[in-house]
Every structure is written in structure tokens, then in C-alpha cells.
Amino acid sequence: MGMRVKLEGITVLALDVPKLTGFYRDILGFKVILEEEHYTEFENNGVRLAIFSAPLMADNTNGHPSYREERKGQAFELNFECDSPEDVCALYNDYVSKGATGIAEPKVMSWGHTTGFFADPEGNIHSLFAVNPITAEKA
């Protein structure tokens, strides 16, 4: 029998930790439980969500150069689940009005979700989604 691993946390690497912390706290509404100069951790049930300085991560990885290079393209997406499609639309508009960059307004997707996409100040694109209610067809 092999060893088991568990996804314990997600750390978003940032060039400007205070700015990204402000976005996740003030716009997305995450409560900060630990804030240091180069690290922030948020209250979140299930999986730990944190922000850490990308250049300092190089120090933790024997100077791996990828942490000092300018990032190109998307490497991850955080998916934020809402209670209803209406909540997706309301939160999307709220986030964009507070400074998130709108990428794609919420719409019904082929996989049964209403999903909208927005970007944080570091350019990471994330989604808001809700499972669409099943409507009974009238016979």
C-alpha cells in the first residue's frame, strides 16, 4: 500500500504581497488570520489559502531561477463556488466594481454551471461559479 498525500494548502506567489493581500481581503472578503511582510494566511475551511513573496521562494528552493523570472501565461485558477447563479452575477459585478479586472461575465456553461472569470492585481484569472438548478420539464 502506498503513502497517502493530502492537499493541505494553496499558496499564491506574488510580487507585491501587501497589494494582493488587500485584494483578497477587501474585494474577495477573506479574513486575514496571519499577516507578515512577505506572507499572509487567510481563514478558509478545508484548504489553507496563503500568499507568499515569489522572489523569497527562490531562497527556499536553492535559488531556483523560475521564481525570479517574469511569469507568462496562467499557471493556476482558484474556483470560488457560490450558492446560486444569481449570486455569481451579483458577486462578479461587486468584485469588478471594487477593482477586480473583469475577464468574462457570468454565463451558463455547457457543463451545467453559471461561471464568470475575473483577474486579481497580479493577473491571475479566477472563476466564480454556481451549479445551475435542475429545472423539471413539463410533460
Side-chain angles (χ1 to χ4, degrees):
M1 178 177 270
M3 289 189 261
R4 184 183 75 84
V5 296
K6 172 187 166 191
L7 178 63
E8 177 274 334
I10 296 171
T11 302
V12 179
L13 299 176
L15 298 176
D16 188 338
V17 172
K19 183 176 183 179
L20 201 58
T21 295
F23 179 85
Y24 281 74
R25 180 191 60 229
D26 302 337
I27 295 178
L28 300 186
F30 281 94
K31 180 182 175 189
V32 172
I33 58 174
L34 176 64
E35 187 170 7
E36 299 173 348
E37 183 180 358
H38 302 291
Y39 177 82
T40 303
E41 188 172 321
F42 300 96
E43 183 178 275
N44 189 57
N45 291 329
V47 174
R48 179 181 50 83
L49 177 61
I51 297 171
F52 186 68
S53 167
L56 287 180
M57 186 60 93
D59 296 340
N60 295 340
T61 57
N62 298 322
H64 197 282
S66 67
Y67 292 105
R68 298 191 190 282
E69 296 170 355
E70 181 179 337
R71 187 181 72 230
K72 293 181 178 153
Q74 297 296 312
F76 72 98
E77 169 192 356
L78 299 179
N79 303 290
F80 299 101
E81 185 173 8
C82 301
D83 290 331
S84 70
E86 294 77 19
D87 287 355
V88 171
C89 295
L91 280 172
Y92 176 88
N93 290 330
D94 183 54
Y95 291 173
V96 170
S97 75
K98 291 178 178 175
T101 301
I103 301 297
E105 291 189 10
K107 66 180 181 181
V108 176
M109 300 298 199
S110 61
W111 56 87
H113 292 174
T114 293
T115 306
F117 295 90
F118 64 93
D120 67 26
E122 298 252 341
N124 302 305
I125 297 174
H126 308 301
S127 70
L128 284 167
F129 79 95
V131 175
N132 294 325
I134 299 171
T135 56
E137 293 184 33
K138 294 181 180 177

PDB file of all heavy atoms in Angstrom, residues 61-94:
ATOM      1  N   THR A  61      14.168  27.404  -2.268  1.00  0.00           N
ATOM      2  CA  THR A  61      14.320  26.326  -3.261  1.00  0.00           C
ATOM      3  C   THR A  61      15.718  26.325  -3.888  1.00  0.00           C
ATOM      4  O   THR A  61      15.868  26.104  -5.092  1.00  0.00           O
ATOM      5  CB  THR A  61      13.251  26.456  -4.364  1.00  0.00           C
ATOM      6  OG1 THR A  61      13.367  27.759  -4.965  1.00  0.00           O
ATOM      7  CG2 THR A  61      11.851  26.265  -3.808  1.00  0.00           C
ATOM      8  N   ASN A  62      16.718  26.613  -3.063  1.00  0.00           N
ATOM      9  CA  ASN A  62      18.110  26.627  -3.524  1.00  0.00           C
ATOM     10  C   ASN A  62      18.322  27.556  -4.716  1.00  0.00           C
ATOM     11  O   ASN A  62      19.051  27.234  -5.650  1.00  0.00           O
ATOM     12  CB  ASN A  62      18.588  25.208  -3.863  1.00  0.00           C
ATOM     13  CG  ASN A  62      18.557  24.307  -2.662  1.00  0.00           C
ATOM     14  OD1 ASN A  62      18.880  24.741  -1.556  1.00  0.00           O
ATOM     15  ND2 ASN A  62      18.152  23.068  -2.860  1.00  0.00           N
ATOM     16  N   GLY A  63      17.627  28.686  -4.696  1.00  0.00           N
ATOM     17  CA  GLY A  63      17.820  29.694  -5.740  1.00  0.00           C
ATOM     18  C   GLY A  63      17.209  29.354  -7.082  1.00  0.00           C
ATOM     19  O   GLY A  63      17.673  29.853  -8.109  1.00  0.00           O
ATOM     20  N   HIS A  64      16.175  28.536  -7.100  1.00  0.00           N
ATOM     21  CA  HIS A  64      15.567  28.164  -8.385  1.00  0.00           C
ATOM     22  C   HIS A  64      15.197  29.428  -9.158  1.00  0.00           C
ATOM     23  O   HIS A  64      14.491  30.295  -8.657  1.00  0.00           O
ATOM     24  CB  HIS A  64      14.334  27.282  -8.170  1.00  0.00           C
ATOM     25  CG  HIS A  64      13.935  26.563  -9.408  1.00  0.00           C
ATOM     26  ND1 HIS A  64      13.241  27.156 -10.440  1.00  0.00           N
ATOM     27  CD2 HIS A  64      14.169  25.287  -9.812  1.00  0.00           C
ATOM     28  CE1 HIS A  64      13.051  26.287 -11.399  1.00  0.00           C
ATOM     29  NE2 HIS A  64      13.608  25.143 -11.049  1.00  0.00           N
ATOM     30  N   PRO A  65      15.680  29.551 -10.397  1.00  0.00           N
ATOM     31  CA  PRO A  65      15.507  30.807 -11.141  1.00  0.00           C
ATOM     32  C   PRO A  65      14.060  31.115 -11.544  1.00  0.00           C
ATOM     33  O   PRO A  65      13.729  32.275 -11.797  1.00  0.00           O
ATOM     34  CB  PRO A  65      16.380  30.603 -12.384  1.00  0.00           C
ATOM     35  CG  PRO A  65      16.466  29.118 -12.545  1.00  0.00           C
ATOM     36  CD  PRO A  65      16.442  28.556 -11.145  1.00  0.00           C
ATOM     37  N   SER A  66      13.187  30.119 -11.587  1.00  0.00           N
ATOM     38  CA  SER A  66      11.829  30.373 -12.075  1.00  0.00           C
ATOM     39  C   SER A  66      11.059  31.336 -11.176  1.00  0.00           C
ATOM     40  O   SER A  66      10.119  31.983 -11.630  1.00  0.00           O
ATOM     41  CB  SER A  66      11.060  29.058 -12.224  1.00  0.00           C
ATOM     42  OG  SER A  66      10.831  28.481 -10.958  1.00  0.00           O
ATOM     43  N   TYR A  67      11.469  31.461  -9.913  1.00  0.00           N
ATOM     44  CA  TYR A  67      10.761  32.363  -9.004  1.00  0.00           C
ATOM     45  C   TYR A  67      11.151  33.822  -9.210  1.00  0.00           C
ATOM     46  O   TYR A  67      10.514  34.715  -8.698  1.00  0.00           O
ATOM     47  CB  TYR A  67      11.002  31.958  -7.547  1.00  0.00           C
ATOM     48  CG  TYR A  67      10.345  30.645  -7.216  1.00  0.00           C
ATOM     49  CD1 TYR A  67      11.096  29.483  -7.085  1.00  0.00           C
ATOM     50  CD2 TYR A  67       8.967  30.563  -7.051  1.00  0.00           C
ATOM     51  CE1 TYR A  67      10.488  28.278  -6.786  1.00  0.00           C
ATOM     52  CE2 TYR A  67       8.351  29.359  -6.767  1.00  0.00           C
ATOM     53  CZ  TYR A  67       9.121  28.227  -6.630  1.00  0.00           C
ATOM     54  OH  TYR A  67       8.518  27.034  -6.346  1.00  0.00           O
ATOM     55  N   ARG A  68      12.217  34.051  -9.956  1.00  0.00           N
ATOM     56  CA  ARG A  68      12.661  35.427 -10.213  1.00  0.00           C
ATOM     57  C   ARG A  68      12.315  35.886 -11.631  1.00  0.00           C
ATOM     58  O   ARG A  68      12.458  37.043 -11.956  1.00  0.00           O
ATOM     59  CB  ARG A  68      14.163  35.537  -9.973  1.00  0.00           C
ATOM     60  CG  ARG A  68      14.544  35.232  -8.546  1.00  0.00           C
ATOM     61  CD  ARG A  68      15.990  35.599  -8.277  1.00  0.00           C
ATOM     62  NE  ARG A  68      16.460  35.111  -6.995  1.00  0.00           N
ATOM     63  CZ  ARG A  68      16.189  35.665  -5.826  1.00  0.00           C
ATOM     64  NH1 ARG A  68      15.429  36.717  -5.773  1.00  0.00           N
ATOM     65  NH2 ARG A  68      16.674  35.154  -4.719  1.00  0.00           N
ATOM     66  N   GLU A  69      11.863  34.955 -12.459  1.00  0.00           N
ATOM     67  CA  GLU A  69      11.520  35.287 -13.843  1.00  0.00           C
ATOM     68  C   GLU A  69      10.118  35.868 -13.922  1.00  0.00           C
ATOM     69  O   GLU A  69       9.245  35.523 -13.125  1.00  0.00           O
ATOM     70  CB  GLU A  69      11.577  34.029 -14.716  1.00  0.00           C
ATOM     71  CG  GLU A  69      12.954  33.418 -14.822  1.00  0.00           C
ATOM     72  CD  GLU A  69      12.923  32.057 -15.490  1.00  0.00           C
ATOM     73  OE1 GLU A  69      11.828  31.537 -15.789  1.00  0.00           O
ATOM     74  OE2 GLU A  69      14.013  31.498 -15.698  1.00  0.00           O
ATOM     75  N   GLU A  70       9.920  36.738 -14.906  1.00  0.00           N
ATOM     76  CA  GLU A  70       8.579  37.261 -15.129  1.00  0.00           C
ATOM     77  C   GLU A  70       7.695  36.121 -15.612  1.00  0.00           C
ATOM     78  O   GLU A  70       8.073  35.350 -16.495  1.00  0.00           O
ATOM     79  CB  GLU A  70       8.613  38.367 -16.189  1.00  0.00           C
ATOM     80  CG  GLU A  70       7.264  38.978 -16.452  1.00  0.00           C
ATOM     81  CD  GLU A  70       7.330  40.082 -17.492  1.00  0.00           C
ATOM     82  OE1 GLU A  70       8.409  40.654 -17.691  1.00  0.00           O
ATOM     83  OE2 GLU A  70       6.284  40.350 -18.113  1.00  0.00           O
ATOM     84  N   ARG A  71       6.519  36.007 -15.006  1.00  0.00           N
ATOM     85  CA  ARG A  71       5.606  34.925 -15.373  1.00  0.00           C
ATOM     86  C   ARG A  71       4.880  35.288 -16.668  1.00  0.00           C
ATOM     87  O   ARG A  71       4.498  36.423 -16.874  1.00  0.00           O
ATOM     88  CB  ARG A  71       4.596  34.693 -14.247  1.00  0.00           C
ATOM     89  CG  ARG A  71       3.732  33.486 -14.496  1.00  0.00           C
ATOM     90  CD  ARG A  71       2.712  33.274 -13.405  1.00  0.00           C
ATOM     91  NE  ARG A  71       1.694  34.295 -13.513  1.00  0.00           N
ATOM     92  CZ  ARG A  71       1.282  35.050 -12.510  1.00  0.00           C
ATOM     93  NH1 ARG A  71       1.766  34.909 -11.321  1.00  0.00           N
ATOM     94  NH2 ARG A  71       0.360  35.961 -12.699  1.00  0.00           N
ATOM     95  N   LYS A  72       4.682  34.295 -17.499  1.00  0.00           N
ATOM     96  CA  LYS A  72       3.919  34.481 -18.729  1.00  0.00           C
ATOM     97  C   LYS A  72       2.857  33.403 -18.770  1.00  0.00           C
ATOM     98  O   LYS A  72       3.141  32.238 -18.562  1.00  0.00           O
ATOM     99  CB  LYS A  72       4.835  34.377 -19.947  1.00  0.00           C
ATOM    100  CG  LYS A  72       5.822  35.506 -20.014  1.00  0.00           C
ATOM    101  CD  LYS A  72       6.705  35.398 -21.221  1.00  0.00           C
ATOM    102  CE  LYS A  72       7.626  36.590 -21.223  1.00  0.00           C
ATOM    103  NZ  LYS A  72       8.857  36.394 -21.862  1.00  0.00           N
ATOM    104  N   GLY A  73       1.632  33.803 -19.023  1.00  0.00           N
ATOM    105  CA  GLY A  73       0.548  32.836 -19.100  1.00  0.00           C
ATOM    106  C   GLY A  73      -0.007  32.496 -17.731  1.00  0.00           C
ATOM    107  O   GLY A  73       0.492  32.939 -16.702  1.00  0.00           O
ATOM    108  N   GLN A  74      -1.040  31.708 -17.709  1.00  0.00           N
ATOM    109  CA  GLN A  74      -1.711  31.310 -16.472  1.00  0.00           C
ATOM    110  C   GLN A  74      -1.197  29.961 -16.010  1.00  0.00           C
ATOM    111  O   GLN A  74      -1.005  29.056 -16.814  1.00  0.00           O
ATOM    112  CB  GLN A  74      -3.229  31.238 -16.687  1.00  0.00           C
ATOM    113  CG  GLN A  74      -3.864  32.563 -17.048  1.00  0.00           C
ATOM    114  CD  GLN A  74      -3.744  33.591 -15.943  1.00  0.00           C
ATOM    115  OE1 GLN A  74      -4.026  33.319 -14.791  1.00  0.00           O
ATOM    116  NE2 GLN A  74      -3.322  34.790 -16.305  1.00  0.00           N
ATOM    117  N   ALA A  75      -0.989  29.844 -14.697  1.00  0.00           N
ATOM    118  CA  ALA A  75      -0.490  28.588 -14.151  1.00  0.00           C
ATOM    119  C   ALA A  75      -1.492  27.917 -13.219  1.00  0.00           C
ATOM    120  O   ALA A  75      -1.357  26.746 -12.918  1.00  0.00           O
ATOM    121  CB  ALA A  75       0.818  28.828 -13.400  1.00  0.00           C
ATOM    122  N   PHE A  76      -2.493  28.662 -12.736  1.00  0.00           N
ATOM    123  CA  PHE A  76      -3.485  28.096 -11.834  1.00  0.00           C
ATOM    124  C   PHE A  76      -4.736  28.961 -11.863  1.00  0.00           C
ATOM    125  O   PHE A  76      -4.714  30.081 -12.368  1.00  0.00           O
ATOM    126  CB  PHE A  76      -2.943  27.999 -10.395  1.00  0.00           C
ATOM    127  CG  PHE A  76      -2.834  29.332  -9.720  1.00  0.00           C
ATOM    128  CD1 PHE A  76      -3.833  29.769  -8.860  1.00  0.00           C
ATOM    129  CD2 PHE A  76      -1.752  30.155  -9.942  1.00  0.00           C
ATOM    130  CE1 PHE A  76      -3.748  31.013  -8.244  1.00  0.00           C
ATOM    131  CE2 PHE A  76      -1.654  31.392  -9.333  1.00  0.00           C
ATOM    132  CZ  PHE A  76      -2.657  31.823  -8.482  1.00  0.00           C
ATOM    133  N   GLU A  77      -5.815  28.420 -11.327  1.00  0.00           N
ATOM    134  CA  GLU A  77      -7.081  29.142 -11.226  1.00  0.00           C
ATOM    135  C   GLU A  77      -7.724  28.765  -9.897  1.00  0.00           C
ATOM    136  O   GLU A  77      -7.784  27.586  -9.555  1.00  0.00           O
ATOM    137  CB  GLU A  77      -8.007  28.725 -12.377  1.00  0.00           C
ATOM    138  CG  GLU A  77      -9.424  29.198 -12.244  1.00  0.00           C
ATOM    139  CD  GLU A  77     -10.359  28.525 -13.246  1.00  0.00           C
ATOM    140  OE1 GLU A  77      -9.884  27.745 -14.095  1.00  0.00           O
ATOM    141  OE2 GLU A  77     -11.566  28.759 -13.148  1.00  0.00           O
ATOM    142  N   LEU A  78      -8.166  29.760  -9.153  1.00  0.00           N
ATOM    143  CA  LEU A  78      -8.944  29.494  -7.952  1.00  0.00           C
ATOM    144  C   LEU A  78     -10.411  29.553  -8.354  1.00  0.00           C
ATOM    145  O   LEU A  78     -10.829  30.462  -9.065  1.00  0.00           O
ATOM    146  CB  LEU A  78      -8.647  30.527  -6.858  1.00  0.00           C
ATOM    147  CG  LEU A  78      -7.202  30.578  -6.374  1.00  0.00           C
ATOM    148  CD1 LEU A  78      -7.036  31.669  -5.315  1.00  0.00           C
ATOM    149  CD2 LEU A  78      -6.749  29.232  -5.836  1.00  0.00           C
ATOM    150  N   ASN A  79     -11.179  28.567  -7.924  1.00  0.00           N
ATOM    151  CA  ASN A  79     -12.604  28.481  -8.259  1.00  0.00           C
ATOM    152  C   ASN A  79     -13.412  28.764  -6.994  1.00  0.00           C
ATOM    153  O   ASN A  79     -13.329  28.008  -6.038  1.00  0.00           O
ATOM    154  CB  ASN A  79     -12.949  27.083  -8.779  1.00  0.00           C
ATOM    155  CG  ASN A  79     -12.103  26.712  -9.972  1.00  0.00           C
ATOM    156  OD1 ASN A  79     -12.261  27.273 -11.035  1.00  0.00           O
ATOM    157  ND2 ASN A  79     -11.192  25.787  -9.786  1.00  0.00           N
ATOM    158  N   PHE A  80     -14.203  29.827  -7.028  1.00  0.00           N
ATOM    159  CA  PHE A  80     -14.991  30.225  -5.870  1.00  0.00           C
ATOM    160  C   PHE A  80     -16.448  29.850  -6.117  1.00  0.00           C
ATOM    161  O   PHE A  80     -17.100  30.408  -7.005  1.00  0.00           O
ATOM    162  CB  PHE A  80     -14.865  31.728  -5.618  1.00  0.00           C
ATOM    163  CG  PHE A  80     -13.453  32.145  -5.322  1.00  0.00           C
ATOM    164  CD1 PHE A  80     -12.662  32.733  -6.292  1.00  0.00           C
ATOM    165  CD2 PHE A  80     -12.905  31.941  -4.059  1.00  0.00           C
ATOM    166  CE1 PHE A  80     -11.365  33.120  -6.023  1.00  0.00           C
ATOM    167  CE2 PHE A  80     -11.598  32.322  -3.774  1.00  0.00           C
ATOM    168  CZ  PHE A  80     -10.827  32.913  -4.756  1.00  0.00           C
ATOM    169  N   GLU A  81     -16.966  28.902  -5.326  1.00  0.00           N
ATOM    170  CA  GLU A  81     -18.333  28.421  -5.504  1.00  0.00           C
ATOM    171  C   GLU A  81     -19.326  29.328  -4.778  1.00  0.00           C
ATOM    172  O   GLU A  81     -19.119  29.700  -3.628  1.00  0.00           O
ATOM    173  CB  GLU A  81     -18.476  26.993  -5.000  1.00  0.00           C
ATOM    174  CG  GLU A  81     -19.860  26.411  -5.285  1.00  0.00           C
ATOM    175  CD  GLU A  81     -19.982  24.943  -4.937  1.00  0.00           C
ATOM    176  OE1 GLU A  81     -19.043  24.381  -4.336  1.00  0.00           O
ATOM    177  OE2 GLU A  81     -21.018  24.354  -5.267  1.00  0.00           O
ATOM    178  N   CYS A  82     -20.407  29.656  -5.460  1.00  0.00           N
ATOM    179  CA  CYS A  82     -21.487  30.471  -4.908  1.00  0.00           C
ATOM    180  C   CYS A  82     -22.727  29.597  -4.733  1.00  0.00           C
ATOM    181  O   CYS A  82     -22.810  28.500  -5.281  1.00  0.00           O
ATOM    182  CB  CYS A  82     -21.818  31.625  -5.854  1.00  0.00           C
ATOM    183  SG  CYS A  82     -20.417  32.722  -6.191  1.00  0.00           S
ATOM    184  N   ASP A  83     -23.699  30.107  -3.983  1.00  0.00           N
ATOM    185  CA  ASP A  83     -24.912  29.333  -3.716  1.00  0.00           C
ATOM    186  C   ASP A  83     -25.870  29.269  -4.898  1.00  0.00           C
ATOM    187  O   ASP A  83     -26.648  28.327  -5.006  1.00  0.00           O
ATOM    188  CB  ASP A  83     -25.653  29.911  -2.504  1.00  0.00           C
ATOM    189  CG  ASP A  83     -24.903  29.669  -1.211  1.00  0.00           C
ATOM    190  OD1 ASP A  83     -24.167  28.665  -1.114  1.00  0.00           O
ATOM    191  OD2 ASP A  83     -25.037  30.494  -0.293  1.00  0.00           O
ATOM    192  N   SER A  84     -25.844  30.280  -5.773  1.00  0.00           N
ATOM    193  CA  SER A  84     -26.798  30.312  -6.882  1.00  0.00           C
ATOM    194  C   SER A  84     -26.205  31.083  -8.057  1.00  0.00           C
ATOM    195  O   SER A  84     -25.289  31.894  -7.878  1.00  0.00           O
ATOM    196  CB  SER A  84     -28.094  31.001  -6.435  1.00  0.00           C
ATOM    197  OG  SER A  84     -27.866  32.387  -6.250  1.00  0.00           O
ATOM    198  N   PRO A  85     -26.762  30.882  -9.258  1.00  0.00           N
ATOM    199  CA  PRO A  85     -26.328  31.675 -10.408  1.00  0.00           C
ATOM    200  C   PRO A  85     -26.515  33.181 -10.179  1.00  0.00           C
ATOM    201  O   PRO A  85     -25.700  33.986 -10.623  1.00  0.00           O
ATOM    202  CB  PRO A  85     -27.201  31.163 -11.549  1.00  0.00           C
ATOM    203  CG  PRO A  85     -27.511  29.742 -11.170  1.00  0.00           C
ATOM    204  CD  PRO A  85     -27.678  29.793  -9.672  1.00  0.00           C
ATOM    205  N   GLU A  86     -27.570  33.546  -9.446  1.00  0.00           N
ATOM    206  CA  GLU A  86     -27.804  34.966  -9.157  1.00  0.00           C
ATOM    207  C   GLU A  86     -26.671  35.531  -8.297  1.00  0.00           C
ATOM    208  O   GLU A  86     -26.234  36.670  -8.489  1.00  0.00           O
ATOM    209  CB  GLU A  86     -29.155  35.145  -8.450  1.00  0.00           C
ATOM    210  CG  GLU A  86     -30.362  34.802  -9.302  1.00  0.00           C
ATOM    211  CD  GLU A  86     -30.626  33.286  -9.458  1.00  0.00           C
ATOM    212  OE1 GLU A  86     -30.115  32.487  -8.629  1.00  0.00           O
ATOM    213  OE2 GLU A  86     -31.328  32.908 -10.421  1.00  0.00           O
ATOM    214  N   ASP A  87     -26.195  34.718  -7.343  1.00  0.00           N
ATOM    215  CA  ASP A  87     -25.071  35.152  -6.503  1.00  0.00           C
ATOM    216  C   ASP A  87     -23.801  35.321  -7.333  1.00  0.00           C
ATOM    217  O   ASP A  87     -23.002  36.221  -7.077  1.00  0.00           O
ATOM    218  CB  ASP A  87     -24.812  34.150  -5.381  1.00  0.00           C
ATOM    219  CG  ASP A  87     -25.867  34.184  -4.287  1.00  0.00           C
ATOM    220  OD1 ASP A  87     -26.769  35.053  -4.333  1.00  0.00           O
ATOM    221  OD2 ASP A  87     -25.802  33.316  -3.388  1.00  0.00           O
ATOM    222  N   VAL A  88     -23.592  34.447  -8.309  1.00  0.00           N
ATOM    223  CA  VAL A  88     -22.428  34.571  -9.192  1.00  0.00           C
ATOM    224  C   VAL A  88     -22.444  35.937  -9.866  1.00  0.00           C
ATOM    225  O   VAL A  88     -21.448  36.669  -9.853  1.00  0.00           O
ATOM    226  CB  VAL A  88     -22.396  33.447 -10.254  1.00  0.00           C
ATOM    227  CG1 VAL A  88     -21.305  33.719 -11.289  1.00  0.00           C
ATOM    228  CG2 VAL A  88     -22.188  32.092  -9.607  1.00  0.00           C
ATOM    229  N   CYS A  89     -23.584  36.305 -10.435  1.00  0.00           N
ATOM    230  CA  CYS A  89     -23.698  37.580 -11.148  1.00  0.00           C
ATOM    231  C   CYS A  89     -23.498  38.760 -10.202  1.00  0.00           C
ATOM    232  O   CYS A  89     -22.775  39.707 -10.519  1.00  0.00           O
ATOM    233  CB  CYS A  89     -25.049  37.675 -11.852  1.00  0.00           C
ATOM    234  SG  CYS A  89     -25.246  36.445 -13.168  1.00  0.00           S
ATOM    235  N   ALA A  90     -24.116  38.700  -9.038  1.00  0.00           N
ATOM    236  CA  ALA A  90     -24.011  39.797  -8.075  1.00  0.00           C
ATOM    237  C   ALA A  90     -22.572  39.954  -7.573  1.00  0.00           C
ATOM    238  O   ALA A  90     -22.046  41.075  -7.511  1.00  0.00           O
ATOM    239  CB  ALA A  90     -24.963  39.565  -6.909  1.00  0.00           C
ATOM    240  N   LEU A  91     -21.926  38.852  -7.219  1.00  0.00           N
ATOM    241  CA  LEU A  91     -20.554  38.927  -6.722  1.00  0.00           C
ATOM    242  C   LEU A  91     -19.580  39.357  -7.815  1.00  0.00           C
ATOM    243  O   LEU A  91     -18.660  40.140  -7.563  1.00  0.00           O
ATOM    244  CB  LEU A  91     -20.116  37.588  -6.129  1.00  0.00           C
ATOM    245  CG  LEU A  91     -20.610  37.321  -4.720  1.00  0.00           C
ATOM    246  CD1 LEU A  91     -20.293  35.887  -4.302  1.00  0.00           C
ATOM    247  CD2 LEU A  91     -19.987  38.301  -3.731  1.00  0.00           C
ATOM    248  N   TYR A  92     -19.778  38.861  -9.028  1.00  0.00           N
ATOM    249  CA  TYR A  92     -18.922  39.265 -10.142  1.00  0.00           C
ATOM    250  C   TYR A  92     -18.978  40.790 -10.304  1.00  0.00           C
ATOM    251  O   TYR A  92     -17.944  41.459 -10.368  1.00  0.00           O
ATOM    252  CB  TYR A  92     -19.362  38.564 -11.434  1.00  0.00           C
ATOM    253  CG  TYR A  92     -18.583  39.001 -12.647  1.00  0.00           C
ATOM    254  CD1 TYR A  92     -17.399  38.358 -12.992  1.00  0.00           C
ATOM    255  CD2 TYR A  92     -19.016  40.052 -13.443  1.00  0.00           C
ATOM    256  CE1 TYR A  92     -16.672  38.750 -14.112  1.00  0.00           C
ATOM    257  CE2 TYR A  92     -18.291  40.461 -14.555  1.00  0.00           C
ATOM    258  CZ  TYR A  92     -17.119  39.806 -14.885  1.00  0.00           C
ATOM    259  OH  TYR A  92     -16.399  40.202 -15.979  1.00  0.00           O
ATOM    260  N   ASN A  93     -20.191  41.330 -10.351  1.00  0.00           N
ATOM    261  CA  ASN A  93     -20.340  42.782 -10.515  1.00  0.00           C
ATOM    262  C   ASN A  93     -19.747  43.535  -9.337  1.00  0.00           C
ATOM    263  O   ASN A  93     -19.122  44.585  -9.512  1.00  0.00           O
ATOM    264  CB  ASN A  93     -21.817  43.144 -10.706  1.00  0.00           C
ATOM    265  CG  ASN A  93     -22.337  42.681 -12.051  1.00  0.00           C
ATOM    266  OD1 ASN A  93     -21.605  42.610 -13.031  1.00  0.00           O
ATOM    267  ND2 ASN A  93     -23.607  42.338 -12.101  1.00  0.00           N
ATOM    268  N   ASP A  94     -19.912  43.001  -8.122  1.00  0.00           N
ATOM    269  CA  ASP A  94     -19.350  43.622  -6.925  1.00  0.00           C
ATOM    270  C   ASP A  94     -17.821  43.627  -6.991  1.00  0.00           C
ATOM    271  O   ASP A  94     -17.188  44.660  -6.749  1.00  0.00           O
ATOM    272  CB  ASP A  94     -19.841  42.872  -5.681  1.00  0.00           C
ATOM    273  CG  ASP A  94     -19.359  43.512  -4.397  1.00  0.00           C
ATOM    274  OD1 ASP A  94     -19.583  44.728  -4.208  1.00  0.00           O
ATOM    275  OD2 ASP A  94     -18.763  42.798  -3.568  1.00  0.00           O
TER     276      ASP A  94
END
